[in-house]
Amino acid sequence: MSILAGKRAAIFGVANDHSIAWAIAQRFRAEGAELALTYPNAAIEKRVRPLAESIGVECVLPCDVSDDAQLDAAFGALRERWGEMDALVHSLAFADRDDLKGRFVDTPRQSYHVALDVSAYSLVAMARRAEPLLAPRRGAIVTMTYLGAERVIPHYNVMGIAKAALEASVRYLAWDLGETGVRVNAISAGPLRTLSAAGIAGFKTMLHHNAEHAPLRRNVTPEEVAGAALFLCSPAAAGVTGEVLHVDAGYNVMGM
């Protein structure tokens, strides 16, 4: 039997066919899950709908996660359609591209606010709305982070701060939601060629450096990250919450 047969999962963050969220959607669907995908604007909708159709996903919802009204509408639609669900995947982040080029100290106040709101607070806002749907099935929430939350990655700048806030949020949410049986975890993926990564200055250098110095001497693939998400949302991870699981070919363990 497929691991997620009879399960329902909402995946936020599919931007194109290179997205981590898309790799997760494909893996979940292959394992029998019924899915809902979202898009933040019309430009992304044009990419998401054909992808959804290609794997037989009928539920595609608009949701700009910085807008409370749209969050309410999206989770209201999920409640009306499903009543209950088993997994929520939060795979989205944003920072102004110009703020990922210079020095972190020069980050404007508004850019800082936007990065923290979209990249970190959105998980809190989504978890609050998802809890009533997840609790009856003792469901799971998974988000995506990066090593820049723990260590200085040149040019990652304000995104590193946002990811650090995201990881702290995972731990606090794990405590809050744990009494209802809902688990909250994060995956710290190695560098991958995604739409958001394209905005980081020197990203190709990051890829080469990671591949040269990681214990496995390579970079990871979106499919490997999707496999970790599958584990965290499956019964096999029933006792795991509040964790940051590194899927980076081991790069995070290196000191020199």
Side-chain angles (χ1 to χ4, degrees), residues 86-130:
D86 302 273
L88 169 65
V89 176
H90 173 279
S91 181
L92 47 89
F94 177 81
D96 191 294
R97 182 170 297 200
D98 290 339
D99 297 319
L100 304 180
K101 294 179 180 178
R103 304 187 306 166
F104 167 66
V105 72
D106 297 320
T107 306
R109 184 184 300 272
Q110 182 59 25
S111 296
Y112 190 100
H113 287 172
V114 169
L116 269 290
D117 181 35
V118 176
S119 310
Y121 181 74
S122 62
L123 176 66
V124 181
M126 290 164 61
R128 184 167 62 250
R129 292 166 172 84

Side-chain angles (χ1 to χ4, degrees), residues 123-124 127-128 141 168-178 182 184:
L123 176 66
V124 181
R128 184 167 62 250
I141 298 174
S169 298
V170 165
R171 292 185 283 272
Y172 279 89
L173 288 169
W175 167 251
D176 281 352
L177 276 58
V182 176
V184 187

Side-chain angles (χ1 to χ4, degrees), residues 147-173:
L147 189 63
E150 305 170 48
R151 304 179 191 175
V152 176
I153 305 294
H155 303 301
Y156 202 56
N157 294 0
V158 70
M159 276 307 307
I161 310 305
K163 292 297 189 182
L166 180 71
E167 291 186 10
S169 298
V170 165
R171 292 185 283 272
Y172 279 89
L173 288 169

Side-chain angles (χ1 to χ4, degrees), residues 13-107:
V14 175
N16 56 31
D17 59 355
H18 296 294
S19 303
I20 294 175
W22 173 238
I24 294 172
Q26 289 178 294
R27 186 62 187 275
F28 279 27
R29 193 76 181 99
E31 293 293 342
E34 182 180 354
L35 302 182
L37 306 181
T38 68
Y39 59 87
N41 54 50
I44 300 298
E45 180 184 9
K46 292 179 181 178
R47 301 171 187 163
V48 173
R49 286 198 179 277
L51 292 174
E53 291 174 6
S54 73
I55 57 173
V57 174
E58 298 178 356
C59 185
V60 182
L61 303 169
C63 188
D64 176 345
V65 297
S66 65
D67 185 328
D68 283 330
Q70 291 197 38
L71 282 167
D72 288 339
F75 281 93
L78 291 172
R79 184 181 300 107
E80 182 176 348
R81 184 181 185 88
W82 288 338
E84 300 173 357
M85 66 182 192
D86 302 273
L88 169 65
V89 176
H90 173 279
S91 181
L92 47 89
F94 177 81
D96 191 294
R97 182 170 297 200
D98 290 339
D99 297 319
L100 304 180
K101 294 179 180 178
R103 304 187 306 166
F104 167 66
V105 72
D106 297 320
T107 306

Side-chain angles (χ1 to χ4, degrees), residues 185-228:
N185 293 288
I187 296 172
S188 184
L192 290 163
R193 295 180 185 275
T194 63
L195 187 63
S196 58
I200 302 172
F203 180 71
K204 289 183 179 179
T205 301
M206 291 169 59
L207 279 173
H208 292 311
H209 182 84
N210 199 93
E212 290 175 0
H213 297 285
L216 293 181
R217 309 301 197 276
R218 64 174 177 84
N219 288 308
V220 295
T221 66
E223 291 74 22
E224 289 170 329
V225 179

